[in-house]
Amino acid sequence: MSKAETMASALPEIVWTREPAQEHLEGNDAALASVRDMIKAGNRQDLLDLLKLWDPTDVMQMLTRLRLKHARKLFKWLPANPSIKVVAELSPEFRSILMEESTLDQFRDILAGLDPEDAIEILNEFPEDAADELIARLPDVEDIATRASYADDTAGRVMARKFVALPEACTAGEAVEQMRAEADRIRKVFTVYVTDTDGRLTGTVEVGKLLLAPADAPLSSIMNRDVISVSADMDQEEVLRLARKRDMRTVPVVGADGHLVGRITPKQLTRIASDEANEDMLLMSGVSAESRPDDTVFRIVRGRLPWLLAGLLGASVAATVVGSYEDQLAEAAILAAFIPVTMSMAGNAGLQASAVAVQGIATGALWSGDIVFRLLKEFLAALLNGTVAGIILGTLVMLASFVVPLEAPLDLALATSLSLLCVTTIAAMVGATIPIILDKIGIDPAMAIGVFITSSNDVLGVLIFFLMATTFYLG
Protein backbone atom coordinates (compact mmCIF):
# COMPACT_ATOMS: atom_id res chain seq x y z
CA MET A 1 0.00 0.00 0.00
CA SER A 2 1.38 3.43 -0.95
CA LYS A 3 1.96 6.24 1.51
CA ALA A 4 -0.94 8.24 0.03
CA GLU A 5 -3.28 5.24 0.36
CA THR A 6 -2.14 4.70 3.96
CA MET A 7 -2.92 8.33 4.84
CA ALA A 8 -6.26 8.15 3.04
CA SER A 9 -7.32 5.05 5.00
CA ALA A 10 -6.40 6.69 8.33
CA LEU A 11 -8.37 9.91 7.64
CA PRO A 12 -12.13 10.40 7.60
CA GLU A 13 -13.61 10.15 4.12
CA ILE A 14 -13.75 13.79 3.09
CA VAL A 15 -13.89 14.48 -0.63
CA TRP A 16 -14.41 17.64 -2.66
CA THR A 17 -16.18 17.72 -6.02
CA ARG A 18 -14.84 20.34 -8.44
CA GLU A 19 -17.40 23.16 -8.64
CA PRO A 20 -18.28 24.95 -11.90
CA ALA A 21 -17.64 28.70 -12.04
CA GLN A 22 -19.95 30.78 -9.85
CA GLU A 23 -21.81 27.68 -8.63
CA HIS A 24 -21.79 25.90 -5.26
CA LEU A 25 -22.51 22.18 -5.03
CA GLU A 26 -24.57 21.02 -2.07
CA GLY A 27 -22.57 17.79 -1.99
CA ASN A 28 -19.53 19.77 -0.82
CA ASP A 29 -21.29 21.18 2.23
CA ALA A 30 -20.44 18.11 4.33
CA ALA A 31 -16.75 18.33 3.37
CA LEU A 32 -16.78 22.05 4.16
CA ALA A 33 -18.30 21.39 7.59
CA SER A 34 -15.72 18.68 8.33
CA VAL A 35 -12.82 20.97 7.36
CA ARG A 36 -14.28 23.77 9.46
CA ASP A 37 -14.58 21.44 12.48
CA MET A 38 -10.96 20.31 12.09
CA ILE A 39 -9.83 23.95 11.97
CA LYS A 40 -11.83 24.80 15.10
CA ALA A 41 -10.41 21.76 16.90
CA GLY A 42 -6.87 22.66 15.88
CA ASN A 43 -6.27 19.35 14.06
CA ARG A 44 -3.60 20.89 11.84
CA GLN A 45 -1.65 17.77 10.88
CA ASP A 46 -4.74 15.67 10.10
CA LEU A 47 -6.14 18.43 7.93
CA LEU A 48 -2.84 18.93 6.10
CA ASP A 49 -2.55 15.19 5.47
CA LEU A 50 -6.04 15.30 3.99
CA LEU A 51 -5.37 18.32 1.78
CA LYS A 52 -2.21 16.73 0.37
CA LEU A 53 -4.57 14.37 -1.47
CA TRP A 54 -6.54 17.26 -2.97
CA ASP A 55 -5.81 19.17 -6.13
CA PRO A 56 -4.70 22.82 -5.50
CA THR A 57 -7.78 24.06 -7.39
CA ASP A 58 -10.04 22.11 -5.01
CA VAL A 59 -8.17 23.55 -2.01
CA MET A 60 -8.65 27.02 -3.48
CA GLN A 61 -12.40 26.47 -3.95
CA MET A 62 -12.75 25.18 -0.40
CA LEU A 63 -10.80 28.18 0.95
CA THR A 64 -13.14 30.62 -0.73
CA ARG A 65 -16.15 28.87 0.83
CA LEU A 66 -14.81 29.11 4.40
CA ARG A 67 -15.39 32.06 6.71
CA LEU A 68 -12.53 34.52 6.41
CA LYS A 69 -11.08 33.84 9.87
CA HIS A 70 -11.06 30.09 9.18
CA ALA A 71 -9.56 30.59 5.72
CA ARG A 72 -6.76 32.71 7.16
CA LYS A 73 -6.03 30.15 9.86
CA LEU A 74 -5.90 27.31 7.34
CA PHE A 75 -3.73 29.33 4.98
CA LYS A 76 -1.23 29.92 7.81
CA TRP A 77 -1.12 26.18 8.40
CA LEU A 78 -0.28 25.36 4.78
CA PRO A 79 3.45 24.74 4.10
CA ALA A 80 5.13 27.07 1.59
CA ASN A 81 5.23 24.69 -1.40
CA PRO A 82 1.53 23.72 -1.43
CA SER A 83 0.67 27.36 -0.69
CA ILE A 84 2.39 28.49 -3.88
CA LYS A 85 0.09 26.34 -6.00
CA VAL A 86 -2.98 27.43 -4.04
CA VAL A 87 -2.06 31.12 -4.33
CA ALA A 88 -1.71 30.72 -8.11
CA GLU A 89 -5.32 29.49 -8.24
CA LEU A 90 -6.80 32.21 -6.03
CA SER A 91 -8.55 35.24 -7.47
CA PRO A 92 -6.67 38.55 -6.98
CA GLU A 93 -9.31 39.87 -4.59
CA PHE A 94 -9.22 36.81 -2.36
CA ARG A 95 -5.43 36.85 -2.31
CA SER A 96 -5.51 40.36 -0.93
CA ILE A 97 -8.23 39.55 1.62
CA LEU A 98 -6.30 36.56 2.95
CA MET A 99 -3.24 38.65 3.52
CA GLU A 100 -2.87 40.34 6.90
CA GLU A 101 0.15 41.35 8.96
CA SER A 102 0.58 37.90 10.46
CA THR A 103 0.72 36.24 7.02
CA LEU A 104 3.21 38.58 5.34
CA ASP A 105 6.18 36.39 6.27
CA GLN A 106 4.43 33.38 4.75
CA PHE A 107 3.77 35.28 1.54
CA ARG A 108 7.42 36.30 1.50
CA ASP A 109 8.43 32.63 1.53
CA ILE A 110 5.86 31.87 -1.17
CA LEU A 111 7.07 34.68 -3.45
CA ALA A 112 10.68 33.64 -2.94
CA GLY A 113 9.82 30.19 -4.26
CA LEU A 114 8.09 31.47 -7.40
CA ASP A 115 9.54 32.36 -10.77
CA PRO A 116 10.14 36.16 -10.73
CA GLU A 117 7.59 36.72 -13.51
CA ASP A 118 4.86 34.91 -11.55
CA ALA A 119 5.89 36.63 -8.31
CA ILE A 120 5.61 40.07 -9.91
CA GLU A 121 2.21 39.15 -11.37
CA ILE A 122 0.96 38.25 -7.88
CA LEU A 123 2.48 41.39 -6.35
CA ASN A 124 0.65 43.50 -8.93
CA GLU A 125 -2.67 42.29 -7.54
CA PHE A 126 -1.96 43.40 -3.98
CA PRO A 127 -2.67 46.91 -2.68
CA GLU A 128 0.32 49.17 -3.28
CA ASP A 129 1.22 49.55 0.40
CA ALA A 130 0.99 45.78 1.00
CA ALA A 131 3.13 45.08 -2.09
CA ASP A 132 5.75 47.55 -0.88
CA GLU A 133 5.77 45.84 2.52
CA LEU A 134 6.29 42.44 0.90
CA ILE A 135 9.10 43.72 -1.32
CA ALA A 136 10.76 45.22 1.75
CA ARG A 137 10.82 41.73 3.25
CA LEU A 138 12.58 40.30 0.21
CA PRO A 139 16.16 41.64 0.64
CA ASP A 140 17.71 38.53 -0.92
CA VAL A 141 15.39 38.39 -3.93
CA GLU A 142 17.05 41.05 -6.09
CA ASP A 143 15.22 40.09 -9.29
CA ILE A 144 11.74 40.57 -7.82
CA ALA A 145 12.64 43.82 -6.07
CA THR A 146 14.31 45.23 -9.21
CA ARG A 147 11.38 44.33 -11.45
CA ALA A 148 8.88 45.83 -9.04
CA SER A 149 10.71 49.16 -9.19
CA TYR A 150 9.66 49.59 -12.83
CA ALA A 151 6.22 50.74 -13.95
CA ASP A 152 3.63 48.27 -15.18
CA ASP A 153 3.78 47.18 -18.83
CA THR A 154 7.39 48.29 -19.28
CA ALA A 155 10.40 46.34 -20.51
CA GLY A 156 11.94 46.46 -17.04
CA ARG A 157 8.88 44.84 -15.48
CA VAL A 158 8.78 41.85 -17.86
CA MET A 159 12.48 41.35 -18.66
CA ALA A 160 14.52 38.32 -17.63
CA ARG A 161 17.67 39.07 -15.67
CA LYS A 162 19.38 35.81 -16.64
CA PHE A 163 21.70 36.33 -19.60
CA VAL A 164 25.29 35.79 -20.75
CA ALA A 165 27.30 39.01 -20.94
CA LEU A 166 31.05 38.94 -21.54
CA PRO A 167 33.74 41.60 -22.09
CA GLU A 168 35.04 42.36 -25.59
CA ALA A 169 38.44 40.87 -24.80
CA CYS A 170 36.93 37.48 -24.01
CA THR A 171 37.67 34.82 -26.66
CA ALA A 172 35.14 32.61 -28.42
CA GLY A 173 36.48 29.55 -26.59
CA GLU A 174 36.11 31.24 -23.21
CA ALA A 175 32.60 32.35 -24.16
CA VAL A 176 31.59 28.76 -24.97
CA GLU A 177 32.97 27.59 -21.62
CA GLN A 178 31.03 30.34 -19.87
CA MET A 179 27.84 29.27 -21.63
CA ARG A 180 28.38 25.69 -20.44
CA ALA A 181 28.91 26.91 -16.90
CA GLU A 182 25.69 28.94 -17.09
CA ALA A 183 23.66 26.11 -18.65
CA ASP A 184 21.89 25.18 -15.40
CA ARG A 185 21.01 28.80 -14.61
CA ILE A 186 19.98 29.85 -18.12
CA ARG A 187 17.99 27.27 -20.03
CA LYS A 188 18.08 28.75 -23.52
CA VAL A 189 20.69 31.11 -24.93
CA PHE A 190 20.34 32.49 -28.44
CA THR A 191 22.62 35.49 -28.11
CA VAL A 192 25.74 36.34 -26.12
CA TYR A 193 25.95 40.01 -25.17
CA VAL A 194 29.25 41.86 -25.33
CA THR A 195 30.07 44.75 -23.00
CA ASP A 196 32.88 47.24 -22.56
CA THR A 197 34.97 47.58 -19.40
CA ASP A 198 32.23 49.67 -17.78
CA GLY A 199 29.53 47.08 -18.44
CA ARG A 200 27.81 48.98 -21.23
CA LEU A 201 26.34 46.98 -24.08
CA THR A 202 28.50 47.28 -27.22
CA GLY A 203 27.54 44.30 -29.37
CA THR A 204 26.02 40.84 -29.70
CA VAL A 205 27.17 37.45 -30.97
CA GLU A 206 24.74 34.79 -32.13
CA VAL A 207 25.42 31.38 -30.61
CA GLY A 208 25.80 29.74 -34.03
CA LYS A 209 28.46 32.24 -35.10
CA LEU A 210 30.22 31.83 -31.77
CA LEU A 211 30.50 28.05 -32.16
CA LEU A 212 31.95 28.38 -35.66
CA ALA A 213 34.51 31.04 -34.74
CA PRO A 214 38.17 30.14 -33.91
CA ALA A 215 38.57 29.46 -30.21
CA ASP A 216 41.16 32.23 -29.82
CA ALA A 217 39.14 34.89 -31.66
CA PRO A 218 38.19 37.79 -29.35
CA LEU A 219 34.49 38.64 -29.22
CA SER A 220 35.30 42.17 -30.40
CA SER A 221 36.33 40.73 -33.79
CA ILE A 222 33.21 38.65 -34.41
CA MET A 223 30.48 40.60 -32.67
CA ASN A 224 27.72 42.58 -34.35
CA ARG A 225 28.24 46.21 -33.36
CA ASP A 226 24.94 47.33 -34.84
CA VAL A 227 23.14 46.30 -31.67
CA ILE A 228 19.52 47.24 -31.05
CA SER A 229 18.44 47.62 -27.44
CA VAL A 230 15.51 49.11 -25.53
CA SER A 231 15.38 51.11 -22.34
CA ALA A 232 13.95 49.53 -19.22
CA ASP A 233 11.23 52.21 -19.18
CA MET A 234 9.99 51.51 -22.72
CA ASP A 235 6.38 50.34 -22.99
CA GLN A 236 6.15 46.61 -23.65
CA GLU A 237 3.96 47.20 -26.71
CA GLU A 238 6.73 49.31 -28.27
CA VAL A 239 9.20 46.53 -27.47
CA LEU A 240 7.00 43.99 -29.24
CA ARG A 241 6.59 46.28 -32.23
CA LEU A 242 10.37 46.75 -32.50
CA ALA A 243 11.03 43.00 -32.16
CA ARG A 244 8.58 42.24 -34.96
CA LYS A 245 9.90 44.97 -37.21
CA ARG A 246 13.54 43.90 -36.80
CA ASP A 247 12.76 40.16 -36.57
CA MET A 248 14.46 39.87 -33.18
CA ARG A 249 14.18 36.69 -31.11
CA THR A 250 15.51 38.37 -27.97
CA VAL A 251 15.69 42.05 -27.10
CA PRO A 252 18.42 43.40 -24.76
CA VAL A 253 17.29 45.87 -22.10
CA VAL A 254 19.59 48.63 -20.86
CA GLY A 255 19.34 51.04 -17.94
CA ALA A 256 19.57 54.81 -18.10
CA ASP A 257 23.38 54.61 -18.01
CA GLY A 258 23.59 52.13 -20.89
CA HIS A 259 24.41 49.13 -18.69
CA LEU A 260 22.82 45.83 -19.71
CA VAL A 261 20.16 44.95 -17.10
CA GLY A 262 18.12 42.22 -18.77
CA ARG A 263 16.64 40.73 -21.92
CA ILE A 264 13.19 40.08 -23.34
CA THR A 265 13.05 36.38 -24.27
CA PRO A 266 10.88 34.74 -26.98
CA LYS A 267 8.57 33.44 -24.22
CA GLN A 268 8.13 36.95 -22.84
CA LEU A 269 7.52 38.40 -26.31
CA THR A 270 4.76 35.82 -26.80
CA ARG A 271 3.26 36.75 -23.44
CA ILE A 272 3.38 40.46 -24.30
CA ALA A 273 1.65 39.77 -27.62
CA SER A 274 -1.06 37.83 -25.82
CA ASP A 275 -1.52 40.53 -23.17
CA GLU A 276 -1.71 43.31 -25.74
CA ALA A 277 -4.16 41.32 -27.91
CA ASN A 278 -6.41 40.72 -24.90
CA GLU A 279 -6.21 44.39 -23.94
CA ASP A 280 -7.06 45.53 -27.47
CA MET A 281 -9.96 43.08 -27.64
CA LEU A 282 -11.42 44.50 -24.43
CA LEU A 283 -10.96 48.09 -25.59
CA MET A 284 -12.54 47.30 -28.95
CA SER A 285 -15.55 45.89 -27.08
CA GLY A 286 -15.91 49.01 -24.98
CA VAL A 287 -14.58 47.37 -21.80
CA SER A 288 -11.81 48.61 -19.52
CA ALA A 289 -8.43 46.99 -20.22
CA GLU A 290 -8.15 46.11 -16.50
CA SER A 291 -11.27 43.92 -16.61
CA ARG A 292 -10.88 40.30 -15.52
CA PRO A 293 -13.27 37.30 -15.55
CA ASP A 294 -13.21 37.18 -11.74
CA ASP A 295 -14.03 40.87 -11.23
CA THR A 296 -16.45 41.82 -8.49
CA VAL A 297 -19.77 43.45 -9.38
CA PHE A 298 -18.40 46.85 -8.37
CA ARG A 299 -15.31 46.49 -10.58
CA ILE A 300 -17.46 45.30 -13.50
CA VAL A 301 -19.67 48.38 -13.16
CA ARG A 302 -16.69 50.70 -12.73
CA GLY A 303 -14.98 49.27 -15.83
CA ARG A 304 -17.98 49.23 -18.15
CA LEU A 305 -20.28 52.05 -17.08
CA PRO A 306 -18.09 54.88 -18.49
CA TRP A 307 -18.10 53.22 -21.91
CA LEU A 308 -21.85 52.65 -21.75
CA LEU A 309 -22.41 56.28 -20.79
CA ALA A 310 -20.20 57.38 -23.69
CA GLY A 311 -22.33 55.22 -25.99
CA LEU A 312 -25.46 56.72 -24.46
CA LEU A 313 -24.13 60.20 -25.18
CA GLY A 314 -23.46 59.29 -28.81
CA ALA A 315 -26.90 57.69 -29.19
CA SER A 316 -28.49 60.77 -27.61
CA VAL A 317 -26.80 63.03 -30.13
CA ALA A 318 -27.97 60.78 -32.96
CA ALA A 319 -31.50 60.87 -31.53
CA THR A 320 -31.31 64.66 -31.37
CA VAL A 321 -30.36 64.77 -35.06
CA VAL A 322 -33.31 62.54 -35.92
CA GLY A 323 -35.62 64.71 -33.79
CA SER A 324 -34.50 67.86 -35.58
CA TYR A 325 -35.92 66.38 -38.79
CA GLU A 326 -39.31 65.67 -37.25
CA ASP A 327 -41.15 67.66 -39.91
CA GLN A 328 -39.44 65.76 -42.73
CA LEU A 329 -40.35 62.44 -41.12
CA ALA A 330 -43.95 63.57 -40.73
CA GLU A 331 -43.99 64.54 -44.39
CA ALA A 332 -42.44 61.26 -45.57
CA ALA A 333 -42.63 58.51 -42.93
CA ILE A 334 -40.93 56.10 -45.34
CA LEU A 335 -37.61 57.80 -44.50
CA ALA A 336 -37.68 56.25 -41.02
CA ALA A 337 -37.30 52.79 -42.58
CA PHE A 338 -33.86 53.73 -43.94
CA ILE A 339 -32.38 55.15 -40.71
CA PRO A 340 -31.27 51.71 -39.35
CA VAL A 341 -29.78 50.84 -42.76
CA THR A 342 -27.72 54.02 -42.82
CA MET A 343 -26.52 53.71 -39.21
CA SER A 344 -25.59 50.05 -39.69
CA MET A 345 -23.57 50.74 -42.84
CA ALA A 346 -21.79 53.66 -41.18
CA GLY A 347 -20.90 51.57 -38.12
CA ASN A 348 -19.70 48.57 -40.13
CA ALA A 349 -17.61 50.64 -42.55
CA GLY A 350 -15.99 52.53 -39.68
CA LEU A 351 -15.23 49.38 -37.67
CA GLN A 352 -13.69 47.62 -40.67
CA ALA A 353 -11.36 50.52 -41.48
CA SER A 354 -10.39 51.15 -37.85
CA ALA A 355 -9.68 47.46 -37.21
CA VAL A 356 -7.22 47.38 -40.12
CA ALA A 357 -5.60 50.62 -38.93
CA VAL A 358 -5.20 49.36 -35.36
CA GLN A 359 -3.72 46.08 -36.60
CA GLY A 360 -1.25 47.95 -38.78
CA ILE A 361 -0.17 50.17 -35.89
CA ALA A 362 0.14 47.25 -33.48
CA THR A 363 2.27 45.14 -35.82
CA GLY A 364 4.38 48.04 -37.05
CA ALA A 365 3.16 47.50 -40.62
CA LEU A 366 1.80 51.05 -40.79
CA TRP A 367 4.77 53.38 -41.29
CA SER A 368 4.63 57.17 -41.05
CA GLY A 369 5.64 57.55 -44.70
CA ASP A 370 2.95 55.07 -45.71
CA ILE A 371 0.00 56.82 -44.04
CA VAL A 372 -1.09 59.00 -46.97
CA PHE A 373 -0.96 56.05 -49.39
CA ARG A 374 -2.94 53.85 -46.96
CA LEU A 375 -5.60 56.52 -46.45
CA LEU A 376 -5.90 56.97 -50.21
CA LYS A 377 -6.45 53.23 -50.63
CA GLU A 378 -9.07 53.26 -47.87
CA PHE A 379 -10.83 56.17 -49.57
CA LEU A 380 -10.93 54.47 -52.97
CA ALA A 381 -12.06 51.16 -51.47
CA ALA A 382 -14.77 52.88 -49.41
CA LEU A 383 -15.91 54.82 -52.47
CA LEU A 384 -16.24 51.59 -54.46
CA ASN A 385 -18.00 49.77 -51.61
CA GLY A 386 -20.39 52.68 -51.13
CA THR A 387 -21.15 52.81 -54.84
CA VAL A 388 -22.00 49.12 -55.00
CA ALA A 389 -24.09 49.25 -51.80
CA GLY A 390 -25.86 52.40 -53.00
CA ILE A 391 -26.73 50.86 -56.39
CA ILE A 392 -28.11 47.75 -54.69
CA LEU A 393 -30.22 49.79 -52.25
CA GLY A 394 -31.51 52.04 -55.01
CA THR A 395 -32.44 49.00 -57.08
CA LEU A 396 -34.31 47.48 -54.14
CA VAL A 397 -36.24 50.72 -53.65
CA MET A 398 -37.28 50.74 -57.31
CA LEU A 399 -38.34 47.07 -57.16
CA ALA A 400 -40.29 47.72 -53.96
CA SER A 401 -42.20 50.55 -55.69
CA PHE A 402 -43.88 47.95 -57.91
CA VAL A 403 -45.26 46.19 -54.85
CA VAL A 404 -45.70 49.02 -52.32
CA PRO A 405 -47.00 52.43 -53.39
CA LEU A 406 -44.13 54.89 -52.93
CA GLU A 407 -44.21 58.59 -53.69
CA ALA A 408 -41.48 59.61 -56.17
CA PRO A 409 -39.63 56.27 -56.01
CA LEU A 410 -36.86 57.45 -58.34
CA ASP A 411 -36.09 60.44 -56.10
CA LEU A 412 -36.17 58.18 -53.03
CA ALA A 413 -33.82 55.68 -54.68
CA LEU A 414 -31.43 58.51 -55.63
CA ALA A 415 -31.47 59.99 -52.12
CA THR A 416 -30.90 56.69 -50.34
CA SER A 417 -28.19 55.58 -52.79
CA LEU A 418 -26.22 58.81 -52.50
CA SER A 419 -26.57 58.84 -48.71
CA LEU A 420 -25.22 55.30 -48.51
CA LEU A 421 -22.31 56.22 -50.79
CA CYS A 422 -21.39 59.27 -48.71
CA VAL A 423 -21.94 57.56 -45.34
CA THR A 424 -19.80 54.54 -46.22
CA THR A 425 -16.97 56.67 -47.57
CA ILE A 426 -16.88 59.18 -44.72
CA ALA A 427 -17.27 56.51 -42.01
CA ALA A 428 -14.39 54.50 -43.45
CA MET A 429 -12.15 57.56 -43.55
CA VAL A 430 -13.04 58.42 -39.95
CA GLY A 431 -12.37 54.84 -38.90
CA ALA A 432 -8.99 54.78 -40.65
CA THR A 433 -7.85 58.21 -39.45
CA ILE A 434 -8.86 58.31 -35.77
CA PRO A 435 -6.62 55.37 -34.64
CA ILE A 436 -3.62 57.03 -36.32
CA ILE A 437 -4.33 60.35 -34.60
CA LEU A 438 -4.76 58.65 -31.21
CA ASP A 439 -1.50 56.76 -31.67
CA LYS A 440 0.34 60.01 -32.51
CA ILE A 441 -0.85 61.69 -29.30
CA GLY A 442 0.01 58.67 -27.15
CA ILE A 443 -3.44 57.09 -26.66
CA ASP A 444 -4.06 53.40 -27.33
CA PRO A 445 -5.63 53.36 -30.84
CA ALA A 446 -7.73 50.31 -29.91
CA MET A 447 -9.95 52.69 -27.93
CA ALA A 448 -11.13 54.13 -31.25
CA ILE A 449 -12.83 50.90 -32.31
CA GLY A 450 -15.19 50.77 -29.37
CA VAL A 451 -17.85 53.30 -28.54
CA PHE A 452 -16.08 56.25 -30.18
CA ILE A 453 -16.15 55.06 -33.81
CA THR A 454 -19.62 53.53 -33.50
CA SER A 455 -21.21 56.59 -31.91
CA SER A 456 -19.53 59.18 -34.12
CA ASN A 457 -20.41 57.31 -37.29
CA ASP A 458 -24.01 56.85 -36.16
CA VAL A 459 -24.33 60.61 -35.78
CA LEU A 460 -22.62 61.31 -39.11
CA GLY A 461 -24.69 58.63 -40.84
CA VAL A 462 -28.04 60.03 -39.66
CA LEU A 463 -27.03 63.61 -40.43
CA ILE A 464 -25.84 62.77 -43.96
CA PHE A 465 -28.95 60.67 -44.64
CA PHE A 466 -31.35 63.48 -43.78
CA LEU A 467 -29.32 66.04 -45.71
CA MET A 468 -29.53 63.84 -48.81
CA ALA A 469 -33.20 63.09 -48.24
CA THR A 470 -34.01 66.77 -47.80
CA THR A 471 -32.07 67.74 -50.92
CA PHE A 472 -33.09 65.01 -53.37
CA TYR A 473 -36.40 63.66 -52.07
CA LEU A 474 -38.18 66.42 -50.19
CA GLY A 475 -36.52 69.36 -51.89
Side-chain angles (χ1 to χ4, degrees):
M1 181 180 293
S2 67
K3 184 178 179 181
E5 292 172 337
T6 301
M7 286 193 302
S9 62
L11 293 170
E13 186 177 354
I14 303 175
V15 296
W16 186 271
T17 303
R18 184 71 54 83
E19 295 180 338
Q22 308 299 325
E23 183 178 342
H24 292 165
L25 301 180
E26 293 183 2
N28 286 333
D29 291 342
L32 196 66
S34 298
V35 170
R36 185 168 55 246
D37 292 341
M38 296 174 76
I39 293 173
K40 290 180 179 179
N43 295 335
R44 179 178 184 272
Q45 193 56 51
D46 288 344
L47 183 53
L48 293 182
D49 289 342
L50 170 68
L51 296 183
K52 287 177 183 177
L53 307 176
W54 289 20
D55 187 273
T57 302
D58 296 334
V59 177
M60 177 272 296
Q61 289 186 346
M62 182 269 295
L63 268 172
T64 60
R65 294 278 303 277
L66 288 170
R67 292 181 60 185
L68 182 58
K69 66 176 184 179
H70 295 147
R72 280 176 171 165
K73 188 172 184 179
L74 173 56
F75 191 76
K76 293 175 187 176
W77 285 358
L78 291 174
N81 287 339
S83 294
I84 290 173
K85 296 180 180 179
V86 173
V87 166
E89 296 287 345
L90 288 174
S91 68
E93 290 79 10
F94 200 79
R95 267 191 221 129
S96 298
I97 291 172
L98 270 180
M99 191 183 70
E100 57 181 2
E101 179 63 29
S102 60
T103 61
L104 283 172
D105 288 338
Q106 183 177 5
F107 270 95
R108 175 200 61 198
D109 296 336
I110 290 170
L111 292 172
L114 286 173
D115 182 87
E117 294 178 20
D118 297 329
I120 287 297
E121 187 174 344
I122 289 177
L123 279 171
N124 287 341
E125 305 297 350
F126 285 124
E128 185 174 351
D129 54 346
D132 291 341
E133 177 66 21
L134 276 171
I135 293 171
R137 297 182 183 221
L138 293 169
D140 298 328
V141 189
E142 180 184 356
D143 199 354
I144 295 176
T146 302
R147 285 168 182 256
S149 66
Y150 295 106
D152 289 340
D153 297 334
T154 60
R157 180 58 71 93
V158 299
M159 70 182 179
R161 290 176 56 83
K162 298 177 181 179
F163 52 86
V164 177
L166 300 170
E168 295 180 358
C170 180
T171 65
E174 292 170 340
V176 172
E177 289 300 322
Q178 184 65 30
M179 288 173 54
R180 289 172 180 165
E182 298 281 357
D184 292 337
R185 188 175 70 91
I186 308 174
R187 296 178 183 176
K188 295 181 180 179
V189 179
F190 300 100
T191 304
V192 172
Y193 299 106
V194 186
T195 60
D196 60 16
T197 54
D198 294 325
R200 293 184 179 87
L201 181 65
T202 57
T204 60
V205 180
E206 296 297 320
V207 171
K209 185 176 182 180
L210 183 66
L211 295 174
L212 295 175
D216 58 350
L219 296 183
S220 59
S221 66
I222 60 173
M223 71 180 186
N224 173 26
R225 296 183 180 275
D226 185 21
V227 60
I228 300 172
S229 62
V230 300
S231 68
D233 296 326
M234 179 180 283
D235 186 271
Q236 64 178 19
E237 188 173 6
E238 292 297 323
V239 175
L240 179 63
R241 193 178 302 175
L242 176 65
R244 284 173 170 172
K245 185 176 181 180
R246 298 300 184 95
D247 195 23
M248 302 170 66
R249 286 188 296 179
T250 60
V251 182
V253 182
V254 297
D257 54 2
H259 286 82
L260 183 66
V261 295
R263 62 179 179 135
I264 309 295
T265 66
K267 176 183 176 181
Q268 289 156 340
L269 287 173
T270 301
R271 179 179 293 186
I272 293 172
S274 176
D275 290 345
E276 294 298 329
N278 290 335
E279 180 180 327
D280 287 348
M281 182 179 67
L282 291 171
L283 290 174
M284 291 175 187
S285 303
V287 180
S288 171
E290 284 74 34
S291 298
R292 297 292 181 268
D294 55 1
D295 279 348
T296 62
V297 173
F298 175 74
R299 289 189 65 180
I300 291 174
V301 173
R302 186 179 63 183
R304 301 182 187 180
L305 186 58
W307 298 93
L308 292 175
L309 293 179
L312 176 62
L313 177 63
S316 299
V317 174
T320 302
V321 173
V322 174
S324 65
Y325 286 92
E326 181 180 1
D327 294 339
Q328 286 82 352
L329 285 173
E331 182 180 348
I334 188 62
L335 294 177
F338 294 95
I339 295 176
V341 177
T342 304
M343 294 177 68
S344 176
M345 286 296 293
N348 289 337
L351 287 175
Q352 288 175 346
S354 57
V356 173
V358 169
Q359 183 188 43
I361 293 171
T363 59
L366 185 60
W367 301 342
S368 298
D370 196 34
I371 291 177
V372 175
F373 177 67
R374 290 290 185 97
L375 291 179
L376 179 60
K377 287 203 303 183
E378 285 289 346
F379 173 76
L380 294 176
L383 196 63
L384 182 58
N385 288 336
T387 300
V388 174
I391 291 174
I392 292 175
L393 181 60
T395 302
L396 291 176
V397 170
M398 293 304 298
L399 291 176
S401 66
F402 292 105
V403 180
V404 180
L406 295 175
E407 183 178 349
L410 186 59
D411 292 340
L412 180 60
L414 178 62
T416 54
S417 297
L418 288 177
S419 66
L420 213 57
L421 169 61
C422 294
V423 163
T424 302
T425 304
I426 294 175
M429 294 308 298
V430 170
T433 305
I434 294 300
I436 297 173
I437 295 175
L438 292 180
D439 182 61
K440 293 297 182 183
I441 61 178
I443 299 177
D444 194 329
M447 294 178 63
I449 297 187
V451 178
F452 184 81
I453 291 292
T454 304
S455 299
S456 61
N457 282 339
D458 283 348
V459 174
L460 285 173
V462 171
L463 181 60
I464 292 171
F465 171 71
F466 277 108
L467 288 175
M468 291 295 175
T470 302
T471 304
F472 295 99
Y473 186 58
L474 300 176

